[in-house]
Amino acid sequence: MITYQEEDPESFLLGAVPMLEIHHAESNMLEGVPFDPDYEAYKRAYDAGFLLCVTCRDSEDIVGFAVFLITPNLYSKKHVIAVEDMYYVKPEYRKGFIAIKILKFAE
């Protein structure tokens, strides 16, 4: 059964290291930059209310995720925005609407 939920970074990020490494390699937007997440910074951001982690699970297995940094909008200080940090869906789950449902759940 496919489920969508918000999770804290400790339960999600540390358990998803292999997927994070695949995401890093596949995105290739940081060519030459080693995979070396600052897990403590993610935890601090979450504890301060500045991080949102949304996962998609098939039973217990994580099959997709999105991580957002929550910050005041610099253009309009009374508004808050979410900036995507990471967004990934396993290739075998990319057919259908899982990616869209992750984003909808995050809203």
Side-chain angles (χ1 to χ4, degrees), residues 2-36:
I2 301 291
T3 61
Y4 302 87
Q5 52 277 316
E6 179 180 347
E7 296 192 36
D8 68 85
E10 286 184 311
S11 68
F12 157 61
L13 291 174
L14 294 176
V17 170
M19 277 183 63
L20 297 175
E21 290 173 332
I22 292 167
H23 169 266
H24 179 79
E26 188 176 295
S27 66
N28 199 24
M29 63 185 220
L30 300 173
E31 190 173 335
V33 176
F35 175 76
D36 186 23

Side-chain angles (χ1 to χ4, degrees), residues 52 68-71 80-84:
L52 172 67
F68 300 92
L69 297 168
I70 311 300
T71 181
V80 176
I81 60 171
V83 179
E84 177 192 322

Side-chain angles (χ1 to χ4, degrees), residues 46-68:
Y46 180 79
D47 289 345
F50 296 123
L51 189 77
L52 172 67
C53 298
V54 173
T55 62
C56 174
R57 291 181 179 265
D58 187 350
S59 297
E60 295 295 317
D61 298 327
I62 297 173
V63 298
F65 62 84
V67 177
F68 300 92

